[in-house]
Amino acid sequence: SGAEVIRLDVGPARLYDVSWRPDGSELAVSGADGVAIVVAAATGARRHTLTGHGGTVNGVSYRGDGAQLLTACNDGRARIYD
């Protein structure tokens, strides 16, 4: 229909990437503030805040089975979260 289903207001920083968890239950969002967040796809409620990145989080990607989340940061590091 083209109707907006949900709007994610995740913070003041520029967003760089969004990834659906394969089962559709969550979205991971990365941004310029050095944080990646995981939200419930149905409601937008924040489930996890992934900190400790040394700069902009440029990308997020779920493993094919959804068991882990990979973040890529401009500090030259990739991190994997359960």
Side-chain angles (χ1 to χ4, degrees):
S1 73
E4 182 177 289
V5 176
I6 192 168
R7 180 177 299 188
L8 299 175
D9 295 317
V10 295
R14 174 177 281 165
L15 301 182
Y16 282 96
D17 197 16
V18 177
S19 179
W20 284 95
R21 186 174 177 158
D23 68 5
S25 66
E26 294 177 337
L27 297 166
V29 182
S30 67
D33 58 359
V35 173
I37 65 164
V38 176
V39 300
T43 64
R46 194 174 294 217
R47 291 188 173 169
H48 305 285
T49 301
L50 308 174
T51 60
H53 299 89
T56 297
V57 182
N58 297 308
V60 288
S61 181
Y62 280 98
R63 195 169 83 175
D65 64 3
Q68 293 179 318
L69 177 69
L70 171 74
T71 62
C73 183
N74 71 357
D75 66 1
R77 294 188 173 136
R79 292 169 175 84
I80 298 173
Y81 298 88
D82 286 330

